[in-house]
Amino acid sequence: MARQRITAITPIADDASRAAVRVGRRVVARLSWAQVEALALAVDQPWDDELAGRVADAAAMTKALRHAQSALARRAHSRFELAGKLRKRGHEAEVCRQVLDELQRRGELDDEAFAHALVREELARKPAGAMLLRQKLAQKGVERSLAERVVAEALADVEQVEPATALARRRAASLARLEPMTRRRRIYGLLARRGFDRDTIEAALRAVEGDEQQM
């Protein structure tokens, strides 16, 4: 029985950065040219189980990398978040780890940059306290110590009472018809949900109540 050999290594029509590797008439893998070189693949090279296994591993890496980069092209992700998406696509844990490490090495995956961007976006959308910001980062799988440092840096020059008071005043205006205690309870709830601590909330409520007394 004739031994199988690689019969062709050709550019993929819609992606010249990758090559189709054929054994006989069958495409056995689609790899980057760097992988073709790293594996030392060549036309007429004998195709055995050992080589097939190495090529399959490389192809799995390429497929997972393409899925990861596609996700990152749509929006930024944390490492934890992107790992979950790759696992849902059926990629093995070790392949996911290698892909994530490679993306971090390239600077395409950066939890610190991701955390700073998420905090900036949240603060731009609506005033928020440290507790909510840390919670948002935790939901994305950002490591706790990194989340705490990023939030501390973001709020270092922000006096929390001021944005909390501004939010409380807006809320108070929309609740003007309610009984004072009900209005106070709802404002308190809003500020608590936005992550402000108790002292900040009480200071904001005093400011709002002071406004009402002057009316």
Side-chain angles (χ1 to χ4, degrees):
M1 183 175 179
R3 193 174 186 182
Q4 290 188 308
R5 294 177 178 276
I6 295 176
T7 52
I9 303 174
T10 56
I12 294 174
D14 60 352
D15 185 357
S17 68
R18 295 192 299 146
V21 180
R22 293 179 180 274
V23 172
R25 295 182 178 181
R26 178 170 59 96
V27 174
V28 296
R30 292 174 173 81
L31 306 174
S32 70
W33 287 104
Q35 288 174 313
V36 170
E37 183 177 355
L39 290 166
L41 300 182
V43 174
D44 208 34
Q45 181 177 358
W47 181 258
D48 55 24
D49 290 343
E50 189 275 334
L51 180 58
R54 291 194 292 123
V55 169
D57 289 343
M61 178 77 172
T62 295
K63 186 175 181 180
L65 183 61
R66 285 169 63 81
H67 286 162
Q69 290 177 318
S70 177
L72 290 171
R74 291 190 291 274
R75 67 170 179 83
H77 290 68
S78 68
R79 181 182 175 112
F80 175 85
E81 189 181 21
L82 188 56
K85 287 193 173 183
L86 291 178
R87 287 195 295 271
K88 286 183 179 179
R89 296 293 296 266
H91 299 292
E92 295 182 0
E94 179 59 20
V95 172
C96 292
R97 185 192 64 76
Q98 292 179 23
V99 166
L100 297 173
D101 287 348
E102 175 64 15
L103 290 170
Q104 283 187 206
R105 186 188 66 78
R106 298 180 185 182
E108 296 178 46
L109 185 65
D110 185 332
D111 270 14
E112 183 166 354
F114 171 82
H116 279 293
L118 188 150
V119 168
R120 285 195 301 271
E121 180 181 336
E122 187 65 29
L123 289 173
R125 188 176 71 84
K126 188 183 292 186
M131 287 186 289
L132 176 66
L133 296 174
R134 288 195 295 266
Q135 180 184 33
K136 294 282 187 180
L137 293 174
Q139 290 170 350
K140 297 295 185 179
V142 175
E143 195 271 329
R144 182 175 178 177
S145 62
L146 173 59
E148 290 177 348
R149 177 166 59 82
V150 168
V151 171
E153 291 174 2
L155 299 180
D157 298 322
V158 178
E159 171 50 60
Q160 288 283 275
V161 173
E162 183 177 342
T165 299
L167 184 57
R169 282 173 171 151
R170 291 201 296 273
R171 184 60 169 158
S174 69
L175 301 175
R177 295 182 180 181
L178 295 181
E179 183 267 331
M181 287 304 296
T182 300
R183 183 165 61 249
R184 190 181 202 279
R185 186 172 63 253
R186 292 195 181 182
I187 295 171
Y188 193 107
L190 169 64
L191 296 181
R193 289 192 298 275
R194 293 303 298 169
F196 293 104
D197 60 55
R198 182 174 180 176
D199 289 343
T200 298
I201 294 173
E202 291 293 347
L205 287 169
R206 286 195 297 272
V208 171
E209 290 163 358
D211 294 344
E212 294 171 351
Q213 291 173 4
Q214 294 175 13
M215 293 176 64

Short mmCIF file of all heavy atoms in Angstrom, two decimals, residues 56-107:
data_model
loop_
_atom_site.label_atom_id
_atom_site.label_comp_id
_atom_site.label_asym_id
_atom_site.label_seq_id
_atom_site.Cartn_x
_atom_site.Cartn_y
_atom_site.Cartn_z
N ALA A 56 -2.58 18.75 13.37
CA ALA A 56 -3.91 18.93 13.97
C ALA A 56 -3.84 19.91 15.14
O ALA A 56 -4.72 20.76 15.32
CB ALA A 56 -4.47 17.59 14.43
N ASP A 57 -2.80 19.81 15.96
CA ASP A 57 -2.63 20.73 17.09
C ASP A 57 -2.46 22.17 16.59
O ASP A 57 -3.05 23.11 17.15
CB ASP A 57 -1.41 20.34 17.92
CG ASP A 57 -1.64 19.05 18.71
OD1 ASP A 57 -2.81 18.65 18.87
OD2 ASP A 57 -0.64 18.47 19.18
N ALA A 58 -1.66 22.33 15.55
CA ALA A 58 -1.44 23.67 14.99
C ALA A 58 -2.73 24.23 14.40
O ALA A 58 -3.03 25.42 14.53
CB ALA A 58 -0.34 23.61 13.93
N ALA A 59 -3.49 23.37 13.72
CA ALA A 59 -4.75 23.81 13.12
C ALA A 59 -5.75 24.23 14.19
O ALA A 59 -6.49 25.21 14.03
CB ALA A 59 -5.34 22.69 12.26
N ALA A 60 -5.78 23.50 15.30
CA ALA A 60 -6.67 23.85 16.41
C ALA A 60 -6.30 25.21 16.98
O ALA A 60 -7.16 26.02 17.32
CB ALA A 60 -6.61 22.77 17.49
N MET A 61 -5.00 25.46 17.09
CA MET A 61 -4.52 26.74 17.59
C MET A 61 -4.93 27.88 16.64
O MET A 61 -5.41 28.93 17.08
CB MET A 61 -2.99 26.68 17.70
CG MET A 61 -2.34 27.96 18.15
SD MET A 61 -2.51 28.24 19.91
CE MET A 61 -1.42 29.68 20.10
N THR A 62 -4.78 27.64 15.35
CA THR A 62 -5.15 28.66 14.36
C THR A 62 -6.64 28.97 14.41
O THR A 62 -7.05 30.13 14.39
CB THR A 62 -4.79 28.18 12.94
OG1 THR A 62 -3.37 28.07 12.84
CG2 THR A 62 -5.28 29.16 11.89
N LYS A 63 -7.45 27.95 14.50
CA LYS A 63 -8.90 28.13 14.53
C LYS A 63 -9.32 28.92 15.77
O LYS A 63 -10.12 29.86 15.69
CB LYS A 63 -9.59 26.77 14.51
CG LYS A 63 -11.11 26.85 14.40
CD LYS A 63 -11.71 25.45 14.27
CE LYS A 63 -13.23 25.52 14.13
NZ LYS A 63 -13.82 24.15 14.01
N ALA A 64 -8.76 28.55 16.93
CA ALA A 64 -9.10 29.25 18.17
C ALA A 64 -8.62 30.69 18.13
O ALA A 64 -9.32 31.60 18.61
CB ALA A 64 -8.48 28.52 19.36
N LEU A 65 -7.45 30.91 17.56
CA LEU A 65 -6.92 32.27 17.46
C LEU A 65 -7.81 33.15 16.59
O LEU A 65 -8.08 34.31 16.91
CB LEU A 65 -5.50 32.24 16.91
CG LEU A 65 -4.76 33.57 16.82
CD1 LEU A 65 -4.62 34.20 18.20
CD2 LEU A 65 -3.40 33.38 16.17
N ARG A 66 -8.29 32.60 15.50
CA ARG A 66 -9.18 33.36 14.62
C ARG A 66 -10.49 33.69 15.32
O ARG A 66 -11.01 34.81 15.20
CB ARG A 66 -9.45 32.56 13.34
CG ARG A 66 -8.26 32.55 12.37
CD ARG A 66 -8.46 31.55 11.26
NE ARG A 66 -9.61 31.87 10.42
CZ ARG A 66 -9.60 32.77 9.43
NH1 ARG A 66 -8.50 33.44 9.16
NH2 ARG A 66 -10.67 32.97 8.70
N HIS A 67 -11.04 32.74 16.07
CA HIS A 67 -12.26 33.01 16.82
C HIS A 67 -12.02 34.10 17.87
O HIS A 67 -12.87 34.98 18.07
CB HIS A 67 -12.74 31.73 17.50
CG HIS A 67 -13.36 30.75 16.56
ND1 HIS A 67 -13.53 29.41 16.87
CD2 HIS A 67 -13.85 30.90 15.30
CE1 HIS A 67 -14.11 28.79 15.85
NE2 HIS A 67 -14.31 29.67 14.88
N ALA A 68 -10.88 34.04 18.55
CA ALA A 68 -10.57 35.02 19.57
C ALA A 68 -10.41 36.41 18.96
O ALA A 68 -10.94 37.40 19.49
CB ALA A 68 -9.30 34.62 20.31
N GLN A 69 -9.69 36.50 17.87
CA GLN A 69 -9.47 37.80 17.23
C GLN A 69 -10.77 38.37 16.66
O GLN A 69 -10.97 39.59 16.66
CB GLN A 69 -8.41 37.67 16.14
CG GLN A 69 -7.02 37.44 16.72
CD GLN A 69 -5.97 37.23 15.65
OE1 GLN A 69 -6.20 36.52 14.66
NE2 GLN A 69 -4.80 37.82 15.83
N SER A 70 -11.65 37.50 16.20
CA SER A 70 -12.95 37.95 15.72
C SER A 70 -13.75 38.58 16.86
O SER A 70 -14.38 39.63 16.69
CB SER A 70 -13.71 36.78 15.12
OG SER A 70 -15.01 37.18 14.70
N ALA A 71 -13.71 37.95 18.03
CA ALA A 71 -14.42 38.49 19.20
C ALA A 71 -13.81 39.83 19.62
O ALA A 71 -14.53 40.78 19.93
CB ALA A 71 -14.37 37.49 20.35
N LEU A 72 -12.49 39.91 19.62
CA LEU A 72 -11.82 41.14 20.02
C LEU A 72 -12.04 42.27 19.02
O LEU A 72 -11.99 43.44 19.39
CB LEU A 72 -10.32 40.89 20.19
CG LEU A 72 -9.91 40.02 21.39
CD1 LEU A 72 -8.43 39.68 21.32
CD2 LEU A 72 -10.23 40.74 22.70
N ALA A 73 -12.27 41.92 17.78
CA ALA A 73 -12.53 42.95 16.76
C ALA A 73 -13.87 43.63 17.01
O ALA A 73 -14.06 44.80 16.64
CB ALA A 73 -12.50 42.33 15.36
N ARG A 74 -14.80 42.90 17.62
CA ARG A 74 -16.12 43.48 17.90
C ARG A 74 -16.08 44.37 19.13
O ARG A 74 -16.70 45.43 19.15
CB ARG A 74 -17.15 42.36 18.07
CG ARG A 74 -17.46 41.63 16.77
CD ARG A 74 -18.65 40.70 16.93
NE ARG A 74 -18.36 39.57 17.78
CZ ARG A 74 -17.82 38.44 17.35
NH1 ARG A 74 -17.48 38.30 16.07
NH2 ARG A 74 -17.61 37.43 18.18
N ARG A 75 -15.35 43.95 20.16
CA ARG A 75 -15.20 44.76 21.37
C ARG A 75 -14.09 44.16 22.23
O ARG A 75 -13.69 43.01 22.04
CB ARG A 75 -16.49 44.84 22.17
CG ARG A 75 -16.95 43.53 22.80
CD ARG A 75 -18.09 43.77 23.76
NE ARG A 75 -18.57 42.54 24.36
CZ ARG A 75 -18.01 41.95 25.42
NH1 ARG A 75 -16.93 42.48 25.97
NH2 ARG A 75 -18.52 40.83 25.93
N ALA A 76 -13.61 44.93 23.19
CA ALA A 76 -12.57 44.45 24.09
C ALA A 76 -13.15 43.39 25.04
O ALA A 76 -14.34 43.42 25.37
CB ALA A 76 -11.98 45.60 24.89
N HIS A 77 -12.32 42.46 25.46
CA HIS A 77 -12.70 41.43 26.41
C HIS A 77 -11.62 41.29 27.48
O HIS A 77 -10.44 41.58 27.23
CB HIS A 77 -12.83 40.06 25.72
CG HIS A 77 -13.99 39.92 24.80
ND1 HIS A 77 -14.09 40.63 23.60
CD2 HIS A 77 -15.11 39.15 24.87
CE1 HIS A 77 -15.22 40.28 22.99
NE2 HIS A 77 -15.86 39.40 23.74
N SER A 78 -12.03 40.81 28.65
CA SER A 78 -11.04 40.38 29.64
C SER A 78 -10.58 38.98 29.26
O SER A 78 -11.23 38.28 28.46
CB SER A 78 -11.66 40.35 31.04
OG SER A 78 -12.64 39.33 31.13
N ARG A 79 -9.48 38.55 29.84
CA ARG A 79 -8.99 37.20 29.57
C ARG A 79 -10.04 36.16 29.97
O ARG A 79 -10.31 35.21 29.23
CB ARG A 79 -7.68 36.95 30.32
CG ARG A 79 -7.10 35.56 30.06
CD ARG A 79 -5.82 35.29 30.83
NE ARG A 79 -5.40 33.92 30.63
CZ ARG A 79 -4.31 33.53 29.97
NH1 ARG A 79 -3.50 34.43 29.45
NH2 ARG A 79 -4.00 32.24 29.84
N PHE A 80 -10.62 36.34 31.15
CA PHE A 80 -11.63 35.40 31.66
C PHE A 80 -12.82 35.32 30.71
O PHE A 80 -13.31 34.23 30.39
CB PHE A 80 -12.09 35.87 33.04
CG PHE A 80 -13.22 35.07 33.63
CD1 PHE A 80 -12.97 33.90 34.34
CD2 PHE A 80 -14.53 35.48 33.47
CE1 PHE A 80 -14.01 33.17 34.88
CE2 PHE A 80 -15.59 34.75 34.00
CZ PHE A 80 -15.32 33.59 34.71
N GLU A 81 -13.28 36.47 30.27
CA GLU A 81 -14.45 36.54 29.38
C GLU A 81 -14.17 35.86 28.04
O GLU A 81 -14.99 35.08 27.53
CB GLU A 81 -14.82 38.00 29.19
CG GLU A 81 -16.13 38.24 28.48
CD GLU A 81 -16.42 39.72 28.31
OE1 GLU A 81 -15.48 40.55 28.36
OE2 GLU A 81 -17.59 40.06 28.12
N LEU A 82 -13.00 36.14 27.47
CA LEU A 82 -12.65 35.56 26.18
C LEU A 82 -12.43 34.06 26.29
O LEU A 82 -12.82 33.30 25.39
CB LEU A 82 -11.39 36.24 25.62
CG LEU A 82 -11.00 35.89 24.19
CD1 LEU A 82 -12.15 36.17 23.23
CD2 LEU A 82 -9.76 36.67 23.77
N ALA A 83 -11.86 33.61 27.40
CA ALA A 83 -11.67 32.18 27.61
C ALA A 83 -13.02 31.46 27.61
O ALA A 83 -13.16 30.38 27.02
CB ALA A 83 -10.94 31.93 28.94
N GLY A 84 -14.00 32.07 28.25
CA GLY A 84 -15.34 31.47 28.28
C GLY A 84 -15.93 31.35 26.89
O GLY A 84 -16.56 30.33 26.56
N LYS A 85 -15.74 32.37 26.07
CA LYS A 85 -16.28 32.33 24.71
C LYS A 85 -15.60 31.24 23.88
O LYS A 85 -16.25 30.55 23.08
CB LYS A 85 -16.12 33.69 24.04
CG LYS A 85 -17.08 34.74 24.59
CD LYS A 85 -17.13 35.96 23.71
CE LYS A 85 -18.24 36.92 24.18
NZ LYS A 85 -18.35 38.09 23.30
N LEU A 86 -14.29 31.09 24.05
CA LEU A 86 -13.58 30.06 23.29
C LEU A 86 -14.01 28.66 23.73
O LEU A 86 -14.16 27.77 22.89
CB LEU A 86 -12.06 30.23 23.47
CG LEU A 86 -11.44 31.46 22.82
CD1 LEU A 86 -9.95 31.52 23.12
CD2 LEU A 86 -11.68 31.48 21.32
N ARG A 87 -14.22 28.48 25.01
CA ARG A 87 -14.67 27.17 25.49
C ARG A 87 -16.06 26.84 24.93
O ARG A 87 -16.35 25.70 24.58
CB ARG A 87 -14.67 27.13 27.02
CG ARG A 87 -13.26 27.06 27.63
CD ARG A 87 -13.32 26.67 29.08
NE ARG A 87 -13.99 27.67 29.89
CZ ARG A 87 -13.39 28.70 30.47
NH1 ARG A 87 -12.08 28.86 30.33
NH2 ARG A 87 -14.07 29.56 31.19
N LYS A 88 -16.92 27.87 24.86
CA LYS A 88 -18.25 27.64 24.29
C LYS A 88 -18.18 27.27 22.82
O LYS A 88 -19.09 26.59 22.31
CB LYS A 88 -19.12 28.90 24.47
CG LYS A 88 -19.60 29.11 25.90
CD LYS A 88 -20.50 30.32 26.00
CE LYS A 88 -21.02 30.53 27.41
NZ LYS A 88 -21.89 31.72 27.53
N ARG A 89 -17.12 27.70 22.14
CA ARG A 89 -16.95 27.33 20.73
C ARG A 89 -16.36 25.93 20.59
O ARG A 89 -16.14 25.46 19.47
CB ARG A 89 -16.04 28.35 20.02
CG ARG A 89 -16.58 29.77 19.94
CD ARG A 89 -17.79 29.87 19.04
NE ARG A 89 -17.54 29.57 17.67
CZ ARG A 89 -17.25 30.47 16.73
NH1 ARG A 89 -17.18 31.76 17.04
NH2 ARG A 89 -17.06 30.12 15.47
N GLY A 90 -16.08 25.28 21.72
CA GLY A 90 -15.61 23.91 21.68
C GLY A 90 -14.10 23.73 21.71
O GLY A 90 -13.61 22.61 21.53
N HIS A 91 -13.35 24.79 21.95
CA HIS A 91 -11.89 24.67 21.98
C HIS A 91 -11.43 24.07 23.31
O HIS A 91 -11.98 24.38 24.36
CB HIS A 91 -11.25 26.04 21.77
CG HIS A 91 -11.58 26.65 20.45
ND1 HIS A 91 -11.12 26.13 19.26
CD2 HIS A 91 -12.35 27.73 20.12
CE1 HIS A 91 -11.58 26.86 18.25
NE2 HIS A 91 -12.33 27.83 18.75
N GLU A 92 -10.42 23.21 23.25
CA GLU A 92 -9.91 22.57 24.44
C GLU A 92 -9.20 23.57 25.35
O GLU A 92 -8.67 24.59 24.88
CB GLU A 92 -8.95 21.44 24.05
CG GLU A 92 -9.63 20.30 23.30
CD GLU A 92 -8.67 19.18 22.97
OE1 GLU A 92 -7.48 19.29 23.33
OE2 GLU A 92 -9.11 18.18 22.36
N ALA A 93 -9.17 23.25 26.64
CA ALA A 93 -8.62 24.17 27.64
C ALA A 93 -7.17 24.56 27.34
O ALA A 93 -6.80 25.74 27.45
CB ALA A 93 -8.72 23.54 29.03
N GLU A 94 -6.34 23.60 26.95
CA GLU A 94 -4.94 23.89 26.69
C GLU A 94 -4.78 24.79 25.47
O GLU A 94 -3.94 25.70 25.44
CB GLU A 94 -4.14 22.61 26.51
CG GLU A 94 -2.66 22.81 26.21
CD GLU A 94 -1.91 23.59 27.29
OE1 GLU A 94 -2.39 23.66 28.44
OE2 GLU A 94 -0.84 24.14 26.96
N VAL A 95 -5.60 24.55 24.46
CA VAL A 95 -5.56 25.41 23.27
C VAL A 95 -5.97 26.83 23.64
O VAL A 95 -5.35 27.81 23.22
CB VAL A 95 -6.49 24.85 22.17
CG1 VAL A 95 -6.61 25.84 21.01
CG2 VAL A 95 -5.96 23.52 21.66
N CYS A 96 -7.01 26.96 24.46
CA CYS A 96 -7.46 28.28 24.91
C CYS A 96 -6.34 29.00 25.64
O CYS A 96 -6.09 30.19 25.41
CB CYS A 96 -8.67 28.15 25.83
SG CYS A 96 -10.17 27.58 25.02
N ARG A 97 -5.68 28.29 26.54
CA ARG A 97 -4.59 28.91 27.31
C ARG A 97 -3.48 29.42 26.39
O ARG A 97 -2.99 30.54 26.56
CB ARG A 97 -4.01 27.90 28.30
CG ARG A 97 -2.95 28.50 29.23
CD ARG A 97 -2.20 27.42 29.99
NE ARG A 97 -1.43 26.57 29.10
CZ ARG A 97 -0.27 26.94 28.54
NH1 ARG A 97 0.24 28.16 28.78
NH2 ARG A 97 0.37 26.12 27.73
N GLN A 98 -3.10 28.60 25.42
CA GLN A 98 -2.03 29.00 24.51
C GLN A 98 -2.43 30.22 23.69
O GLN A 98 -1.62 31.14 23.48
CB GLN A 98 -1.67 27.84 23.59
CG GLN A 98 -1.01 26.67 24.29
CD GLN A 98 -0.70 25.52 23.34
OE1 GLN A 98 -0.57 25.72 22.13
NE2 GLN A 98 -0.59 24.33 23.87
N VAL A 99 -3.68 30.24 23.23
CA VAL A 99 -4.16 31.37 22.43
C VAL A 99 -4.19 32.64 23.26
O VAL A 99 -3.75 33.71 22.82
CB VAL A 99 -5.55 31.06 21.85
CG1 VAL A 99 -6.21 32.33 21.32
CG2 VAL A 99 -5.44 30.03 20.74
N LEU A 100 -4.70 32.55 24.47
CA LEU A 100 -4.78 33.72 25.34
C LEU A 100 -3.39 34.24 25.69
O LEU A 100 -3.16 35.45 25.71
CB LEU A 100 -5.57 33.39 26.61
CG LEU A 100 -7.02 33.00 26.39
CD1 LEU A 100 -7.66 32.52 27.68
CD2 LEU A 100 -7.83 34.14 25.79
N ASP A 101 -2.46 33.33 25.95
CA ASP A 101 -1.08 33.74 26.22
C ASP A 101 -0.48 34.46 25.02
O ASP A 101 0.23 35.46 25.16
CB ASP A 101 -0.22 32.52 26.58
CG ASP A 101 -0.52 31.96 27.97
OD1 ASP A 101 -1.22 32.65 28.75
OD2 ASP A 101 -0.06 30.84 28.27
N GLU A 102 -0.75 33.93 23.84
CA GLU A 102 -0.21 34.55 22.61
C GLU A 102 -0.80 35.94 22.40
O GLU A 102 -0.08 36.88 22.05
CB GLU A 102 -0.52 33.65 21.41
CG GLU A 102 -0.14 34.23 20.05
CD GLU A 102 1.36 34.44 19.88
OE1 GLU A 102 2.14 33.88 20.68
OE2 GLU A 102 1.74 35.15 18.94
N LEU A 103 -2.10 36.09 22.63
CA LEU A 103 -2.74 37.39 22.47
C LEU A 103 -2.22 38.39 23.49
O LEU A 103 -2.04 39.58 23.18
CB LEU A 103 -4.26 37.25 22.59
CG LEU A 103 -4.94 36.53 21.42
CD1 LEU A 103 -6.40 36.25 21.76
CD2 LEU A 103 -4.84 37.35 20.14
N GLN A 104 -1.96 37.93 24.70
CA GLN A 104 -1.37 38.82 25.71
C GLN A 104 0.04 39.22 25.30
O GLN A 104 0.43 40.38 25.46
CB GLN A 104 -1.35 38.12 27.07
CG GLN A 104 -2.71 38.08 27.76
CD GLN A 104 -2.64 37.55 29.18
OE1 GLN A 104 -3.61 37.02 29.69
NE2 GLN A 104 -1.51 37.66 29.83
N ARG A 105 0.81 38.28 24.78
CA ARG A 105 2.16 38.59 24.34
C ARG A 105 2.16 39.66 23.25
O ARG A 105 3.01 40.55 23.23
CB ARG A 105 2.84 37.31 23.83
CG ARG A 105 4.31 37.48 23.49
CD ARG A 105 4.86 36.25 22.81
NE ARG A 105 4.26 36.02 21.50
CZ ARG A 105 4.59 36.69 20.40
NH1 ARG A 105 5.51 37.65 20.44
NH2 ARG A 105 4.01 36.41 19.26
N ARG A 106 1.17 39.58 22.37
CA ARG A 106 1.06 40.56 21.28
C ARG A 106 0.48 41.89 21.74
O ARG A 106 0.50 42.87 20.99
CB ARG A 106 0.16 40.01 20.18
CG ARG A 106 0.65 38.75 19.50
CD ARG A 106 -0.35 38.34 18.43
NE ARG A 106 -0.04 37.08 17.80
CZ ARG A 106 -0.76 36.55 16.81
NH1 ARG A 106 -1.83 37.20 16.36
NH2 ARG A 106 -0.42 35.39 16.29
N GLY A 107 -0.09 41.93 22.92
CA GLY A 107 -0.73 43.15 23.41
C GLY A 107 -2.16 43.30 22.94
O GLY A 107 -2.77 44.35 23.14
#
